[in-house]
Amino acid sequence: MPVSYIEAIRTGLAEEMRRDERVYLIGEDIGVDGGAFKATQGLIEEFGPQRVIDSPLAEGVIVSSSIGAAMMGMRPVAEIQFVDFITPAMDAITQQAAKLRYRSAGTQTCPLTVRVCYGGGTGGGLYHSQTNTTWFAHEPGLIVVAPATVADAKGMLKASIRQDDPVLYFEHKRLYRTIKEDLPEGNDFIADLFHAAVRREGKDATLVTYGYMLQVALQAAEKVGQETGATIEVIDLRVLNPLDRDTILNSVAKTNRLCILQEDHRTLGIGSEISAIVAEDAFDCLDAPILRVAAPDVPAIPAAEPMEQFYMPNVEKTCAALHKLLQY
Amino acid sequence: MATKVKESAAVATASSKNGGSLISDDKLKQLYATMLKCRLLEEKALGLKKMARFKGNYYAAVGQEAAVVGAAIDLRPEDAVAPSHRDFITNFIKGVPLDAMFSQLYGRVTSPDKGRCAPAHCGYAPLNIITPSSTIAAQLNIGTGIALANKMLKNDNIVVAFSGDGSTSLGFWHEALNFSGVHDLPIVFVCQNNLWAESVPLRLQTKVEDISLKAQAYGFPGITVDGNDVVAMYRVAHEAIQRARNGGGPTLIEAKTYRWYGHSSIDPAKYRAPEEVEEWKAKDPIAAMERYLTQRNLFTPAWKQQMNESFGKELDEAVDFAEKSPQVEPIECLDHVYSFDIRGRELDRKTRTPKYQK
Ligand SMILES: Cc1ncc(C[n+]2csc(CCOP(=O)(O)OP(=O)(O)O)c2C)c(N)n1
Ligand SMILES: [Mg+2]
């Protein structure tokens, strides 16, 4: 039976909680209400309010209490209802979680997972649509992942919980109920936390993306392929920090053309870093300038549909970039 | 819930004087000796700083020893301490070796953090002292999480979390107290109200006179103590620690005290009236305890002299140890970022091996 992305998250959490009693959940409305998107529905019934904690409305202490508990050997999974509201936890994440191991020379660590709901295209407006992955990809000490498939939603969540580092797990709200897959069952199904994945093989151009934009990338690659006969290699980054440079560089060495597709706005985004990596390490491989498809540099995503569509990268914009890249 | 505010320190001290003392003579002497050693330790650190023997800045708690010693002296190794920037001496009180502490000042390879944090920001994992960040009040929230874990793990370990008057203006401070209250966590918040946050006086920090009042908003006891009276501090902290251990939840202790010197070793503290400083120096917690012990026939100048000498020697040895300890290797900059090694990753980037030629 195919399961949805959000069911994969829910069963991933439940399996880890059954496997390891140190795993507990904390966040706003995650208990009785089962979460804003119902990712944790039913878990308080099975695990009780001690392990599914309806926190006060305070992102700072949601994350920072998890840091302290993780130091003592617990395995907290904190939920940030919308990434737009993660800023009260910014100190906790960037100054505390990211730096605790470093500042104590490895003697104090905080293996915690922060599940972060993100992404636009649902009419959520300025404060329910942001991406902001870049803020955290910029912070050494954090692992930042953005699963784009149902298998990764489950496998990477379970791997994050078991990882001895703070992990930010970005889940796109538009994936929750739009994609389904058959999943292997059982505790042993965990996914790799370190490598990008080639989701579609190709030899004429490389299209790098992550999260919900994988859906857009695959459609654009298919369409451009039909139109031009070119084959586009699609790379799903999966992990935004630390970046898997080799998978990108190997692909560019083969295709000699690179386009990066990101939902986040353009300036100093993931695409900027990937462009720099390729420019530094594979300049000689390039047959065309690197292109980026990204949201415009405006403060956030407007709610009104015309502007939202203008803002969001989509299949059309991506196809246009790919055509340009191939024609250079 | 009854909220006690302002138990007079004089009462606490007096009642312990009146026969049936809850505090043994040995404990009284230990309180004094520990304060004296903290003073000697910090004066030593400041002296070294003046001579530029180590780099960076030092934040001395000289004048505030009673508050820190009274709160931390009875902690078990398993109990956690969440120190702020001025709480270097909590390490000594909890039993961290002087060699490690002075190595911390010097940033040597023998320091607990292998040369990473600022000199006064010392933590120590074996004794559950959180390695502090410099973000004011952040340690309270991490301490809160440790207390949450202690409760979940059903042990009777507690957390003592230190903060200053300035920190009470930050959202973090309130998030920590609120959460601890909601979950009845085993944590004691010790706020050292030394009337100043760098150059900002208390009246620009908060409208209320007693910070302990703020506990009322979070549903647990808050108490103001004369933070220069180590016996009062000890009694109040002892009770709060017992309460926390027995599942009674948090307490906020406001210790009214004063820092003798500048905010840090580079601050001449010109913003304070000299009379104010003199007034507080006259309330020296160590001298006060000396008078109290003398009254009780527990003090002799010879004892103090002997401690000055023997501890002075221990300090000199620790300084010597630190100064002779090796520097960290430059490449260690790349260590302890993740649970896995990143040296290779960064080094490959440096050599730029032409791996990806067309
Ligand atoms: C969030 C934050 N803001 C500013 C600073 C700079 N700073 C360090 S200590 C301090 C004053 C702290 O005052 P208080 O809490 O009263 O502690 P005290 O220094 O008096 O011990 C300031 C402003 C900081 N470290 N963190
Ligand atoms: Mg102060």
Side-chain angles (χ1 to χ4, degrees):
Chain A
M1 250 260 291
V3 299
S4 68
Y5 189 94
I6 200 161
E7 281 162 350
I9 291 173
R10 189 183 307 125
T11 54
L13 289 171
E15 283 174 17
E16 288 306 294
M17 292 178 82
R18 279 177 214 128
R19 183 186 66 82
D20 182 350
E21 59 180 27
R22 299 170 308 164
V23 178
Y24 73 92
L25 315 182
I26 182 166
E28 292 159 12
D29 307 298
I30 66 166
V32 182
D33 200 40
F37 291 91
K38 305 284 171 273
T40 53
Q41 195 163 48
L43 298 184
I44 197 170
E45 283 80 5
E46 180 174 352
F47 300 102
Q50 263 80 43
R51 292 182 71 195
V52 184
I53 302 174
D54 267 323
S55 73
L57 205 168
E59 285 74 11
V61 81
I62 289 172
V63 177
S64 52
S65 69
S66 301
I67 294 169
M71 282 175 77
M72 301 313 285
M74 303 299 288
R75 291 275 166 169
V77 183
E79 178 180 308
I80 300 291
Q81 211 166 59
F82 294 90
V83 72
D84 317 60
F85 310 124
I86 203 168
T87 39
M90 215 57 183
D91 177 77
I93 296 169
T94 63
Q95 301 300 333
Q96 312 306 324
K99 295 177 176 57
L100 180 64
R101 176 186 290 275
Y102 196 70
R103 75 178 188 237
S104 67
T107 60
Q108 290 169 334
T109 61
C110 55
L112 78 137
T113 304
V114 185
R115 287 181 40 238
V116 188
C117 172
Y118 82 103
T122 59
L126 300 183
Y127 292 100
H128 291 79
S129 310
Q130 295 170 27
T131 294
N132 300 336
T133 39
T134 297
W135 294 346
F136 308 100
H138 186 64
E139 289 299 315
L142 299 177
I143 293 180
V144 181
V145 303
T149 68
V150 175
D152 271 351
K154 183 169 177 184
M156 291 180 89
L157 180 57
K158 287 163 63 96
S160 299
I161 294 169
R162 299 182 194 191
Q163 180 67 26
D164 285 333
D165 297 280
V167 182
L168 265 75
Y169 172 100
F170 276 84
E171 46 192 68
H172 198 296
K173 59 177 80 70
R174 226 171 145 183
L175 289 174
Y176 281 150
R177 291 176 173 82
T178 54
I179 56 173
K180 289 194 170 186
E181 278 173 44
D182 283 312
L183 285 189
E185 287 194 9
N187 272 339
D188 300 332
F189 174 64
I190 60 163
D192 160 274
L193 272 191
F194 297 93
H195 296 94
V198 177
R199 297 293 184 197
R200 187 181 197 277
E201 300 259 357
K203 57 179 178 30
D204 298 308
T206 300
L207 179 57
V208 176
T209 193
Y210 67 93
Y212 176 76
M213 285 294 133
L214 176 63
Q215 303 297 317
V216 173
L218 291 171
Q219 288 170 47
E222 185 65 32
K223 192 152 175 269
V224 170
Q226 282 166 6
E227 287 162 3
T228 65
T231 58
I232 313 291
E233 181 140 303
V234 176
I235 294 181
D236 170 9
L237 286 172
R238 302 177 72 250
V239 186
L240 307 180
N241 188 18
L243 273 176
D244 170 10
R245 298 164 179 151
D246 284 352
T247 300
I248 300 164
L249 289 165
N250 285 334
S251 177
V252 174
K254 178 172 71 169
T255 65
N256 312 124
R257 286 179 161 80
L258 174 64
C259 177
I260 304 129
L261 166 62
Q262 69 185 40
E263 184 174 328
D264 209 350
H265 51 273
R266 180 179 313 268
T267 297
L268 291 177
I270 296 290
S272 316
E273 181 59 25
I274 292 173
S275 304
I277 290 169
V278 172
E280 282 179 343
D281 289 355
F283 181 73
D284 293 345
C285 300
L286 291 173
D287 283 346
I290 300 165
L291 287 182
R292 285 177 291 165
V293 181
D297 286 320
V298 295
I301 314 180
E305 206 180 328
M307 285 194 284
E308 187 182 59
Q309 281 184 8
F310 177 86
Y311 180 99
M312 288 291 287
N314 58 21
V315 175
E316 203 188 331
K317 294 174 196 174
T318 309
C319 288
L322 288 173
H323 280 299
K324 195 173 158 195
L325 191 65
L326 291 167
Q327 282 159 18
Y328 181 86
Chain B
M1 183 182 298
T3 299
K4 285 193 286 178
V5 177
K6 276 207 155 175
E7 173 180 321
S8 141
V11 174
T13 315
S15 64
S16 60
K17 252 185 269 178
N18 293 339
S21 169
L22 295 172
I23 309 177
S24 70
D25 289 352
D26 281 350
K27 182 61 71 184
L28 291 171
K29 288 176 74 175
Q30 188 197 355
L31 287 167
Y32 174 81
T34 310
M35 283 198 297
L36 182 70
K37 289 176 182 175
C38 287
R39 174 76 53 89
L40 293 170
L41 192 163
E42 290 211 287
E43 293 289 6
K44 183 68 156 187
L46 286 168
L48 294 166
K49 184 67 254 182
K50 273 213 183 80
M51 293 186 289
R53 295 270 280 275
F54 63 86
K55 287 199 174 140
N57 220 343
Y58 189 80
Y59 305 84
V62 170
Q64 304 183 191
E65 294 89 351
V68 190
V69 170
I73 198 160
D74 269 357
L75 295 179
R76 306 170 179 169
E78 302 77 28
D79 293 331
V81 166
S84 188
H85 58 297
R86 203 175 296 293
D87 302 313
F88 188 64
I89 55 175
T90 54
N91 285 265
F92 172 70
I93 301 165
K94 212 153 184 283
V96 177
L98 288 174
D99 285 354
M101 290 182 69
F102 279 84
S103 298
Q104 174 74 28
L105 295 180
Y106 281 80
R108 295 299 161 93
V109 74
T110 40
S111 63
D113 65 2
K114 304 222 183 319
R116 284 171 167 74
C117 297
H121 292 28
C122 188
Y124 195 70
L127 292 172
N128 289 298
I129 303 171
I130 301 173
T131 304
S133 71
S134 298
T135 319
I136 292 295
Q139 74 281 0
L140 303 178
N141 295 276
I142 297 178
T144 295
I146 294 178
L148 177 67
N150 288 341
K151 187 178 169 188
M152 287 174 155
L153 295 166
K154 299 190 169 60
N155 60 40
D156 68 349
N157 303 331
I158 62 118
V159 181
V160 174
F162 289 93
S163 63
D165 46 294
S167 78
T168 65
S169 303
L170 271 159
F172 299 142
W173 194 90
H174 298 269
E175 288 190 30
L177 270 78
N178 181 55
F179 189 89
S180 299
V182 167
H183 290 279
D184 283 322
L185 298 184
I187 185 165
V188 179
F189 295 99
V190 178
C191 181
Q192 298 177 71
N193 178 358
N194 60 10
L195 306 180
W196 293 90
E198 282 199 54
S199 67
V200 179
L202 186 66
R203 77 186 150 74
L204 296 183
Q205 208 68 248
T206 178
K207 181 82 175 166
V208 299
E209 203 173 302
D210 295 324
I211 284 168
S212 62
L213 264 177
K214 295 178 196 268
Q216 276 188 27
Y218 304 116
F220 55 79
I223 177 163
T224 294
V225 187
D226 176 351
N228 281 18
D229 179 341
V230 75
V231 178
M233 243 345 263
Y234 177 77
R235 284 169 54 92
V236 170
H238 188 81
E239 193 183 317
I241 289 170
Q242 283 318 112
R243 248 171 56 77
R245 255 195 233 298
N246 298 332
T251 305
L252 168 63
I253 301 173
E254 174 195 14
K256 293 222 200 269
T257 183
Y258 200 76
R259 65 167 154 80
W260 283 12
Y261 304 140
H263 169 67
S264 75
S265 44
I266 53 163
D267 172 24
K270 294 258 168 59
Y271 42 81
R272 306 190 301 193
E275 302 77 48
E276 182 184 284
V277 179
E278 287 318 308
E279 185 192 316
W280 277 94
K281 280 192 173 172
K283 294 191 250 182
D284 178 3
I286 297 177
M289 189 59 178
E290 207 169 294
R291 288 193 295 275
Y292 177 59
L293 290 182
T294 306
Q295 274 173 35
R296 298 191 47 141
N297 287 327
L298 294 172
F299 181 84
T300 62
W303 177 50
K304 181 180 181 182
Q305 182 60 23
Q306 186 261 324
M307 273 194 295
N308 276 335
E309 276 164 25
S310 67
F311 192 66
K313 243 181 83 194
E314 282 183 55
L315 290 173
D316 289 339
E317 281 164 15
V319 172
D320 196 49
F321 175 87
E323 292 190 343
K324 287 190 176 136
S325 291
Q327 296 278 4
V328 290
E329 293 293 326
I331 188 139
E332 289 179 57
C333 173
L334 298 180
D335 294 344
H336 306 301
V337 177
Y338 292 104
S339 60
F340 47 91
D341 188 43
I342 63 157
R343 281 193 187 194
R345 196 180 154 81
E346 288 303 319
L347 294 183
D348 282 354
R349 300 282 295 164
K350 263 198 168 156
T351 53
R352 298 253 169 79
T353 35
K355 215 156 139 191
Y356 298 99
Q357 295 301 314
K358 202 156 127 182

